[in-house]
Amino acid sequence: MGTVPSLYGQSDKAAPLTAWEVARYCVAAAVWAPSVHNTQPWRFAANGQQLSLYADAGRRLAVADPYGREMMISCGAALFTARLALRSLGYIPETAVLPDPGQSLLVARISWDGRAACTEFEQRLFGQVRQRRTHRGGFDPVPLPPNLLATLREGAARHDAMLRIVADDGRRAALAAAIRTAEDAERIDSAFVREIAAWVSPPGSPRSDGVPPTCYPARAEHTEPDFPGRDFAHGRGWGLPRLSTALWPRSAGVAGLLTTAHDHLLDWVNAGQALQRILLTASTCGVAAALHSQPLELGWLREPIRAGLSDGAYPQLVLRLGYAVQTEVSVRRPADDVLSATE
Ligand SMILES: Cc1cc2nc3c(=O)[nH]c(=O)nc-3n(C[C@H](O)[C@H](O)[C@H](O)COP(=O)(O)O)c2cc1C
């Protein structure tokens, strides 16, 4: 039987883990999944050797995410992480995604019984769950490791999603321009501004969700073409100081679109699982990712991206990949805040 690494909140011990301890271990890892504005829109219920993952609709972004697409992508990322945590203990997760059509917030039921040793790759992925951070800025002008993109594409395909690299200069410029247009539109829309403000915390805040100033640069780093970040600080001067060791000029990195063939709840959960697999795999090579969802929150920009840059597939997230020295520190609600013993 596996023992619980102290990294996930319990001390090592030789005795077999109880079903509750296994569930808690998985949740303690899953909370480190990425989520839009760090809303952490999930809750978990443990019942014997089964863990249920629910979307927490109270944490959905009503303005940016009226249909819950980004909420479900975030939950998909948490699902992938919980399954990976089970693998790290040597369990084979059995997963039913959206098992009950009458309960659209029930994202997945995961149970465990059979065992198989965790592979070295799974171990390496799991080792990145706490290390990985969203990057916000440019990258060092250094090429990615050979084969990494092929591995990431193959990983996305395992979840019925597709990672499309936008390499052509014209298409890259079009994607960057769409992000600029979206960011400009959201910055002057008072509903968007109020919503972001509700998920941004000031320096020193004890909050365990949302985006603290330790997560983004105080001065935006521009690249060519420029992929503008979210305006979290909103003129308050918050954010991380610029790193003097960063290589200049900064590169936009390798840009890509994570897409799905359809645009239903299942596709969103799949996109989330694919996203977390991509992020953790990249992280094992020291490669960081910046995420942009601004243009996909506005139908009038998402649609031309779908038609013009995704071959008609549904864009779920824009990613940029590259090398950067990362100092970002994020926050999470502890497992005990999101895990209950009953449904
Ligand atoms: C669906 C989704 C959309 C996101 N969109 C953005 C975005 O537009 N801009 C950004 O800087 N980060 C974005 N993120 C990253 C989150 O802000 C980040 O995961 C969260 O703040 C937690 O920080 P961490 O990833 O460093 O742990 C997104 C994440 C998800 C899952």
Side-chain angles (χ1 to χ4, degrees), residues 246-309:
L247 291 179
W248 299 95
R250 305 299 276 156
S251 155
V254 172
L257 276 162
L258 184 62
T259 68
T260 51
H262 306 284
D263 203 26
H264 306 302
L265 286 181
L266 179 61
D267 304 292
W268 302 341
V269 177
N270 285 342
Q273 293 215 73
L275 171 68
Q276 180 68 326
R277 181 187 282 270
I278 289 170
L279 298 179
L280 295 178
T281 306
S283 193
T284 62
C285 303
V287 170
L291 305 179
H292 298 269
S293 48
Q294 306 101 312
L296 310 180
E297 292 169 349
L298 304 169
W300 52 275
L301 282 170
R302 190 177 184 221
E303 184 48 32
I305 291 174
R306 183 177 83 83
L309 298 174

Side-chain angles (χ1 to χ4, degrees), residues 34-36 38 70 132-134 136 230 291 293 330 332:
S35 63
V36 62
N38 201 17
E70 295 186 82
R132 179 211 60 81
R133 289 277 71 79
T134 299
R136 298 187 175 89
R230 301 262 190 190
L291 305 179
S293 48
S330 190
R332 290 299 191 276

Side-chain angles (χ1 to χ4, degrees), residues 12-342:
D12 293 345
K13 61 178 199 174
L17 301 181
T18 64
W20 171 257
E21 285 172 329
V22 171
R24 196 176 173 284
Y25 172 86
C26 292
V27 172
V31 297
W32 287 95
S35 63
V36 62
H37 294 1
N38 201 17
T39 46
Q40 304 168 45
W42 44 63
R43 67 179 183 84
F44 297 83
N47 183 0
Q49 296 199 172
Q50 180 176 275
L51 188 61
S52 301
L53 161 58
Y54 291 86
D56 181 346
R59 291 175 165 265
R60 179 177 58 83
L61 301 176
V63 177
D65 190 28
Y67 304 109
R69 188 181 61 82
E70 295 186 82
M71 174 179 76
M72 294 308 257
I73 295 174
S74 306
C75 286
L79 170 61
F80 180 84
T81 318
R83 292 176 48 236
L84 186 62
L86 278 173
R87 291 296 304 124
S88 80
L89 293 176
Y91 284 109
I92 303 171
E94 281 173 28
T95 312
V97 178
L98 299 167
D100 183 349
Q103 291 192 72
S104 58
L105 295 177
L106 175 54
V107 176
R109 284 214 167 97
I110 318 162
S111 53
W112 59 92
D113 190 18
R115 298 186 65 86
C118 178
T119 66
E120 196 196 315
F121 179 65
E122 288 167 333
Q123 246 159 23
R124 289 200 296 131
L125 283 194
F126 190 64
Q128 297 306 310
V129 167
R130 286 290 299 265
Q131 310 303 321
R132 179 211 60 81
R133 289 277 71 79
T134 299
H135 181 62
R136 298 187 175 89
F139 294 102
D140 296 342
V142 176
L144 296 182
N147 298 332
L148 176 63
L149 293 178
T151 306
L152 299 183
R153 271 197 297 259
E154 189 269 330
R158 284 172 179 247
H159 302 281
D160 286 337
M162 195 164 169
L163 177 64
R164 293 163 193 265
I165 302 306
V166 183
D168 168 81
D169 280 349
R171 291 159 73 87
R172 216 167 124 87
L175 184 59
I179 295 174
R180 170 87 277 158
T181 304
E183 187 53 34
D184 288 348
E186 293 189 1
R187 283 183 192 205
I188 55 165
D189 183 322
S190 57
F192 270 95
V193 171
R194 269 199 305 274
E195 185 167 79
I196 287 210
W199 289 100
V200 166
S201 42
S205 164
R207 259 181 92 158
S208 55
D209 60 4
V211 185
T214 51
C215 280
Y216 52 86
R219 282 176 56 203
E221 278 182 0
H222 296 290
T223 58
E224 182 49 46
D226 198 29
F227 287 75
R230 301 262 190 190
D231 182 19
F232 292 118
H234 202 58
R236 286 171 291 213
W238 298 344
L240 294 167
R242 185 164 276 182
L243 265 186
S244 58
T245 52
L247 291 179
W248 299 95
R250 305 299 276 156
S251 155
V254 172
L257 276 162
L258 184 62
T259 68
T260 51
H262 306 284
D263 203 26
H264 306 302
L265 286 181
L266 179 61
D267 304 292
W268 302 341
V269 177
N270 285 342
Q273 293 215 73
L275 171 68
Q276 180 68 326
R277 181 187 282 270
I278 289 170
L279 298 179
L280 295 178
T281 306
S283 193
T284 62
C285 303
V287 170
L291 305 179
H292 298 269
S293 48
Q294 306 101 312
L296 310 180
E297 292 169 349
L298 304 169
W300 52 275
L301 282 170
R302 190 177 184 221
E303 184 48 32
I305 291 174
R306 183 177 83 83
L309 298 174
S310 317
D311 282 338
Y314 291 86
Q316 305 297 353
L317 210 55
V318 179
L319 291 90
R320 291 185 296 115
L321 299 163
Y323 289 103
V325 177
Q326 289 199 269
T327 55
E328 293 94 347
V329 178
S330 190
V331 292
R332 290 299 191 276
R333 292 178 295 158
D336 292 331
D337 284 14
V338 295
L339 172 62
S340 64
T342 49

